[in-house]
Amino acid sequence: MAHSYIGRFAPSPSGPLHFGSLLCAFASFLHARQHNGKWLVRIEDIDTPRIDSAMSKVILDSLHAHGLDWDEKVTYQSDRLDYYQSVLDKLSLQHDIYACACSRKQIKARSQFYDQHCRHLQLTFLDRAIRFKHDQTNNQFDDFILGSQNIEDGIANEDFVVKRADGIFAYHLVVVADDIEQQVSHILRGNDLLSMTPVHLSLFQAMQAHIPEYGHMPVVVQAPKQKLSKQHHSPAIDDSRALENIKLALCYLGIPIHKQANLTTVHSMVGWAIKNWHLEMLPKQTELLISITNGVYSMSDEPILNNNA
């Protein structure tokens, strides 16, 4: 019997957690606990060239230090290659995929988005990218945070890659395959992934699987349109400042805790948040600006950006 609510947090171990990742994990955790649900942690280490194997433990230690304790065993995508191949085999039997020999340069020279150039060439799969025949239209969907959505991004409609030419399974395939097997019911993630949702919905449909509910929250940025990331040299959260980090996260989730002076431990703060935070408190904007001084995160003087987005 499926659990009534199963949420998940799925970080990629390309670096340690920064504040934006912590904020998303915290919101997902709180939402799951408020619904008496399970909260799973999945390490998305499928893209091996970008992965630092030491970071998985660093990430898990950070979550634990901040009182975000998960249910069940942590799963690692690098351990699930046979499962992903079985999913790809199923799509192949359904004639939902095909091989593509186009380079990025060739695609860009022809069109802004992939133009189905190889769809009917019946190329062999060996050493070629594999694409999904994206014939479904899932641009319109309901988001449990943002409401009704209509994604006009052309990438949401193209035949997307499910396995790369270098043999690595693509993010779109593995994230949906994992959510299906783990029976995830609710996905709360950053709105930088909003445009990918139609792609994921189409894969759920192709696999005849139950579709989870999606909710997309604001992303934290260190400058407009510059989200926190390893690429932008965003500092790791300091686990020794866990209580201060949680207080700051609650402020960015829309619930200041200044009057709760009796909350002096991580677990008391997290317990208080479970009882007092509500999804409707999330800021409605797409980006939230944060200040970083000497590697320490703090509330920006003007944290809310893109008011008209």
Side-chain angles (χ1 to χ4, degrees):
M1 180 178 178
H3 205 279
S4 58
Y5 185 114
I6 299 178
R8 50 84 164 166
F9 177 61
S12 174
S14 57
L17 286 186
H18 52 65
F19 182 76
S21 300
L22 175 67
L23 190 70
C24 191
F26 199 21
S28 174
F29 174 87
L30 293 178
H31 199 239
R33 291 292 180 256
Q34 289 167 348
H35 288 82
N36 297 316
K38 291 184 179 180
W39 189 67
L40 310 180
V41 171
R42 177 197 311 151
I43 299 296
E44 296 195 334
D45 57 350
I46 195 73
D47 192 355
T48 48
R50 296 178 56 248
I51 296 307
D52 181 347
S53 58
M55 286 299 109
S56 295
K57 184 178 185 306
V58 172
I59 289 171
L60 296 176
D61 287 347
S62 289
L63 292 174
H64 181 69
H66 290 80
L68 306 182
D69 294 325
W70 51 90
D71 302 300
E72 300 186 358
K73 184 180 178 180
V74 174
T75 58
Y76 294 80
Q77 290 183 334
S78 57
D79 294 335
R80 298 159 66 77
L81 302 185
D82 289 343
Y83 168 57
Y84 302 139
Q85 186 59 50
S86 71
V87 172
L88 200 65
D89 291 344
K90 178 181 179 180
L91 293 176
S92 180
L93 288 173
Q94 297 173 178
H95 305 289
D96 286 331
I97 58 177
Y98 62 94
C100 174
C102 299
S103 66
R104 292 183 181 180
K105 184 177 180 180
Q106 290 171 328
I107 295 170
K108 189 174 182 180
R110 295 194 306 261
S111 175
Q112 183 179 2
F113 305 107
Y114 184 68
D115 57 359
Q116 301 183 0
H117 179 80
C118 295
R119 186 189 260 221
H120 302 293
L121 298 183
Q122 297 183 327
L123 301 173
T124 60
F125 286 166
L126 184 64
D127 297 328
R128 293 193 173 103
I130 301 175
R131 291 184 179 272
F132 177 80
K133 295 177 182 177
H134 197 192
D135 296 325
Q136 301 93 329
T137 301
N138 284 300
N139 297 59
Q140 296 182 345
F141 59 91
D142 289 326
D143 186 291
F144 67 79
I145 293 176
L146 301 175
S148 179
Q149 295 295 299
N150 185 13
I151 305 298
E152 298 179 357
D153 193 329
I155 295 176
N157 298 311
E158 70 178 3
D159 288 356
F160 52 89
V161 173
V162 289
K163 191 175 186 181
R164 298 173 0 192
D166 61 5
I168 294 178
F169 293 101
Y171 167 75
H172 296 309
L173 179 79
V174 297
V175 72
V176 171
D178 286 338
D179 286 336
I180 290 172
E181 188 180 61
Q182 295 183 302
Q183 299 181 310
V184 172
S185 65
H186 291 73
I187 298 171
L188 199 164
R189 59 188 185 180
N191 61 30
D192 55 320
L193 299 175
L194 181 65
S195 64
M196 295 185 182
T197 307
V199 169
H200 297 167
L201 294 177
S202 295
L203 276 174
F204 275 105
Q205 290 175 343
M207 297 179 200
Q208 298 93 46
H210 175 75
I211 297 175
E213 295 186 39
Y214 282 87
H216 293 84
M217 62 181 286
V219 295
V220 182
V221 297
Q222 52 198 72
K225 301 186 183 301
Q226 189 180 103
K227 69 174 185 174
L228 299 180
S229 68
K230 182 179 180 181
Q231 178 183 357
H232 295 137
H233 308 290
S234 304
I237 53 172
D238 184 349
D239 292 348
S240 69
R241 293 175 51 85
L243 189 61
E244 291 78 7
N245 294 336
I246 291 173
K247 290 179 180 179
L248 183 62
L250 284 170
C251 290
Y252 274 82
L253 291 177
I255 179 169
I257 43 76
H258 304 302
K259 295 181 180 179
Q260 305 299 323
N262 59 316
L263 301 176
T264 58
T265 68
V266 166
H267 289 287
S268 65
M269 184 72 70
V270 171
W272 180 86
I274 292 172
K275 295 178 181 179
N276 290 277
W277 180 74
H278 303 290
L279 201 61
E280 294 75 17
M281 295 176 176
L282 273 174
K284 306 304 180 186
Q285 287 68 29
T286 59
E287 296 184 341
L288 301 174
L289 183 65
I290 196 161
S291 292
I292 306 173
T293 305
N294 296 325
V296 176
Y297 294 101
S298 61
M299 177 72 76
S300 172
D301 292 336
E302 297 181 3
I304 296 178
L305 297 174
N306 292 354
N307 289 321
N308 296 320

